[in-house]
PDB file of all heavy atoms in Angstrom:
ATOM      1  N   GLN A 737     102.704 109.792  -3.659  1.00 85.00           N
ATOM      2  CA  GLN A 737     101.672 110.786  -3.870  1.00 85.00           C
ATOM      3  C   GLN A 737     100.643 110.330  -4.910  1.00 85.00           C
ATOM      4  O   GLN A 737      99.787 111.115  -5.316  1.00 85.00           O
ATOM      5  CB  GLN A 737     102.298 112.086  -4.297  1.00 85.00           C
ATOM      6  CG  GLN A 737     103.242 112.752  -3.278  1.00 85.00           C
ATOM      7  CD  GLN A 737     102.528 113.300  -2.076  1.00 85.00           C
ATOM      8  OE1 GLN A 737     101.373 113.729  -2.198  1.00 85.00           O
ATOM      9  NE2 GLN A 737     103.180 113.386  -0.922  1.00 85.00           N
ATOM     10  N   ARG A 738     100.802 109.136  -5.401  1.00 89.00           N
ATOM     11  CA  ARG A 738      99.949 108.531  -6.447  1.00 89.00           C
ATOM     12  C   ARG A 738      99.933 109.397  -7.713  1.00 89.00           C
ATOM     13  O   ARG A 738      98.863 109.596  -8.330  1.00 89.00           O
ATOM     14  CB  ARG A 738      98.544 108.383  -5.872  1.00 89.00           C
ATOM     15  CG  ARG A 738      98.420 107.422  -4.693  1.00 89.00           C
ATOM     16  CD  ARG A 738      98.708 105.997  -5.153  1.00 89.00           C
ATOM     17  NE  ARG A 738      98.444 105.016  -4.081  1.00 89.00           N
ATOM     18  CZ  ARG A 738      99.444 104.483  -3.369  1.00 89.00           C
ATOM     19  NH1 ARG A 738     100.672 104.777  -3.602  1.00 89.00           N
ATOM     20  NH2 ARG A 738      99.147 103.597  -2.419  1.00 89.00           N
ATOM     21  N   ASP A 739     101.098 109.928  -8.084  1.00 92.00           N
ATOM     22  CA  ASP A 739     101.224 110.790  -9.240  1.00 92.00           C
ATOM     23  C   ASP A 739     101.981 110.066 -10.339  1.00 92.00           C
ATOM     24  O   ASP A 739     103.222 110.009 -10.346  1.00 92.00           O
ATOM     25  CB  ASP A 739     101.956 112.101  -8.865  1.00 92.00           C
ATOM     26  CG  ASP A 739     101.862 113.135  -9.956  1.00 92.00           C
ATOM     27  OD1 ASP A 739     101.707 112.772 -11.119  1.00 92.00           O
ATOM     28  OD2 ASP A 739     101.882 114.356  -9.641  1.00 92.00           O
ATOM     29  N   GLY A 740     101.234 109.452 -11.252  1.00 94.00           N
ATOM     30  CA  GLY A 740     101.846 108.628 -12.308  1.00 94.00           C
ATOM     31  C   GLY A 740     102.662 109.480 -13.260  1.00 94.00           C
ATOM     32  O   GLY A 740     103.661 108.964 -13.833  1.00 94.00           O
ATOM     33  N   LEU A 741     102.335 110.782 -13.443  1.00 96.00           N
ATOM     34  CA  LEU A 741     103.143 111.589 -14.360  1.00 96.00           C
ATOM     35  C   LEU A 741     104.561 111.797 -13.807  1.00 96.00           C
ATOM     36  O   LEU A 741     105.531 111.788 -14.559  1.00 96.00           O
ATOM     37  CB  LEU A 741     102.428 112.933 -14.544  1.00 96.00           C
ATOM     38  CG  LEU A 741     103.083 113.880 -15.531  1.00 96.00           C
ATOM     39  CD1 LEU A 741     103.159 113.282 -16.924  1.00 96.00           C
ATOM     40  CD2 LEU A 741     102.333 115.215 -15.577  1.00 96.00           C
ATOM     41  N   VAL A 742     104.674 111.991 -12.463  1.00 94.00           N
ATOM     42  CA  VAL A 742     105.959 112.139 -11.806  1.00 94.00           C
ATOM     43  C   VAL A 742     106.727 110.850 -11.929  1.00 94.00           C
ATOM     44  O   VAL A 742     107.974 110.812 -12.123  1.00 94.00           O
ATOM     45  CB  VAL A 742     105.789 112.620 -10.363  1.00 94.00           C
ATOM     46  CG1 VAL A 742     107.118 112.612  -9.629  1.00 94.00           C
ATOM     47  CG2 VAL A 742     105.195 114.043 -10.349  1.00 94.00           C
ATOM     48  N   VAL A 743     106.056 109.707 -11.731  1.00 96.00           N
ATOM     49  CA  VAL A 743     106.676 108.380 -11.855  1.00 96.00           C
ATOM     50  C   VAL A 743     107.249 108.226 -13.283  1.00 96.00           C
ATOM     51  O   VAL A 743     108.368 107.752 -13.434  1.00 96.00           O
ATOM     52  CB  VAL A 743     105.680 107.286 -11.545  1.00 96.00           C
ATOM     53  CG1 VAL A 743     106.293 105.922 -11.888  1.00 96.00           C
ATOM     54  CG2 VAL A 743     105.321 107.279 -10.093  1.00 96.00           C
ATOM     55  N   LEU A 744     106.478 108.667 -14.265  1.00 96.00           N
ATOM     56  CA  LEU A 744     106.908 108.605 -15.674  1.00 96.00           C
ATOM     57  C   LEU A 744     108.162 109.471 -15.852  1.00 96.00           C
ATOM     58  O   LEU A 744     109.075 109.045 -16.572  1.00 96.00           O
ATOM     59  CB  LEU A 744     105.819 109.126 -16.559  1.00 96.00           C
ATOM     60  CG  LEU A 744     105.935 108.834 -18.066  1.00 96.00           C
ATOM     61  CD1 LEU A 744     106.064 107.370 -18.337  1.00 96.00           C
ATOM     62  CD2 LEU A 744     104.727 109.470 -18.807  1.00 96.00           C
ATOM     63  N   GLY A 745     108.222 110.602 -15.168  1.00 96.00           N
ATOM     64  CA  GLY A 745     109.395 111.420 -15.200  1.00 96.00           C
ATOM     65  C   GLY A 745     110.584 110.722 -14.609  1.00 96.00           C
ATOM     66  O   GLY A 745     111.745 110.817 -15.083  1.00 96.00           O
ATOM     67  N   GLY A 746     110.373 109.883 -13.559  1.00 96.00           N
ATOM     68  CA  GLY A 746     111.407 109.067 -12.977  1.00 96.00           C
ATOM     69  C   GLY A 746     111.991 108.079 -13.979  1.00 96.00           C
ATOM     70  O   GLY A 746     113.210 107.844 -14.072  1.00 96.00           O
ATOM     71  N   TYR A 747     111.082 107.441 -14.752  1.00 97.00           N
ATOM     72  CA  TYR A 747     111.473 106.504 -15.790  1.00 97.00           C
ATOM     73  C   TYR A 747     112.448 107.207 -16.775  1.00 97.00           C
ATOM     74  O   TYR A 747     113.496 106.682 -17.158  1.00 97.00           O
ATOM     75  CB  TYR A 747     110.334 105.914 -16.569  1.00 97.00           C
ATOM     76  CG  TYR A 747     109.358 105.078 -15.809  1.00 97.00           C
ATOM     77  CD1 TYR A 747     108.124 104.715 -16.334  1.00 97.00           C
ATOM     78  CD2 TYR A 747     109.622 104.554 -14.543  1.00 97.00           C
ATOM     79  CE1 TYR A 747     107.244 103.893 -15.697  1.00 97.00           C
ATOM     80  CE2 TYR A 747     108.753 103.758 -13.862  1.00 97.00           C
ATOM     81  CZ  TYR A 747     107.557 103.414 -14.409  1.00 97.00           C
ATOM     82  OH  TYR A 747     106.645 102.612 -13.776  1.00 97.00           O
TER      83      TYR A 747
END
Side-chain angles (χ1 to χ4, degrees):
Q737 298 287 333
R738 298 292 186 258
D739 192 332
L741 184 60
V742 173
V743 171
L744 193 59
Y747 293 169

